[in-house]
Amino acid sequence: MATKIPQGFSRRVPVSKPYLMTRNQALRISSSHFTQFMTKSTIYGVVVDMPMAPNVITTLACYINGAANLYFSNGNDYSGASQRYPGLVQAARAFVTNAANYLSDDNMADSLELPAGRVHYAYLLTTGGIHRIALSPFASNQDPAERVFMNMYQRVMNELRAAQMKDQAAGIDPKKAVIPNPKEEN
């Protein structure tokens, strides 16, 4: 599944320091946190960097335990929804499990760079190292395997959007829903 990198907005997107730190943590998380969930495969996570506009990158981080979080290049994030929404857990686990079908020796990552232009980079986290797949969401000649892979992470994105809308409707602040502040409880 090798995709030519399309041309388009190709200058680097400015990103915040908190975003870079969070993205690095998502890419470097140890597989030891997920061994109880890894039964048939050595893959434990997928991190997808998606340029959304000439000045915005969104990173989707999914793990085999069902966690799915979004990180934005301006430093904002949406995380913790997997603790409240089983549909999101199911979509994230299915995505990571099926991503094992895209592992090959040809796609070992030699760097963890952010994409430029419209290409999406998917980093497959395995116990044997990190693999990278370049995906072109706007290509008219996508191969079927690439289309399936992109549909899987779009399903996770749809679940995250639905969770975010439910949180907003219920007045849930995701930051407070994930880690309660003991000072506020007293």
Side-chain angles (χ1 to χ4, degrees):
M1 190 165 76
T3 301
K4 288 186 177 183
I5 297 174
Q7 299 305 311
F9 49 88
S10 60
R11 65 181 169 80
R12 293 284 175 198
V13 173
V15 296
S16 68
K17 186 175 180 178
Y19 167 76
L20 289 175
M21 291 172 38
T22 305
R23 178 183 176 270
N24 188 50
Q25 289 172 344
L27 287 163
R28 306 264 186 207
I29 193 165
S30 172
S31 64
S32 64
H33 297 289
F34 305 102
T35 53
Q36 71 192 48
F37 299 97
M38 296 167 46
T39 55
K40 298 178 185 175
S41 174
T42 61
I43 190 167
Y44 62 93
V46 180
V47 176
V48 183
D49 293 323
M50 301 168 277
M52 302 302 263
N55 60 348
V56 178
I57 291 182
T58 300
T59 296
L60 169 66
C62 296
Y63 300 99
I64 193 68
N65 66 348
N69 302 310
L70 288 173
Y71 308 113
F72 305 99
S73 56
N74 66 2
N76 291 333
D77 67 79
Y78 180 67
S79 55
S82 296
Q83 296 175 8
R84 296 180 297 282
Y85 301 105
L88 176 56
V89 171
Q90 181 184 14
R93 289 187 78 180
F95 174 44
V96 175
T97 300
N98 287 312
N101 296 323
Y102 298 88
L103 293 173
S104 77
D105 292 336
D106 295 340
N107 61 16
M108 285 296 293
D110 53 359
S111 69
L112 301 175
E113 65 189 283
L114 286 165
R118 293 184 173 151
V119 68
H120 293 188
Y121 284 163
Y123 291 97
L124 311 178
L125 312 179
T126 74
T127 55
I130 300 175
H131 297 251
R132 180 175 65 203
I133 300 170
L135 302 154
S136 179
F138 304 107
S140 59
N141 59 346
Q142 266 182 349
D143 70 34
E146 185 174 332
R147 198 172 313 115
V148 168
F149 187 87
M150 291 181 73
N151 283 338
M152 287 189 301
Y153 72 78
Q154 287 302 321
R155 179 175 172 227
V156 177
M157 292 290 288
N158 289 338
E159 289 290 336
L160 280 163
R161 279 188 208 103
Q164 190 174 30
M165 289 178 13
K166 289 176 187 175
D167 283 352
Q168 287 173 343
I172 295 173
D173 179 353
K175 301 287 186 223
K176 292 180 180 178
V178 176
I179 305 170
N181 186 345
K183 293 178 184 175
E184 292 179 6
E185 292 177 7
N186 293 331

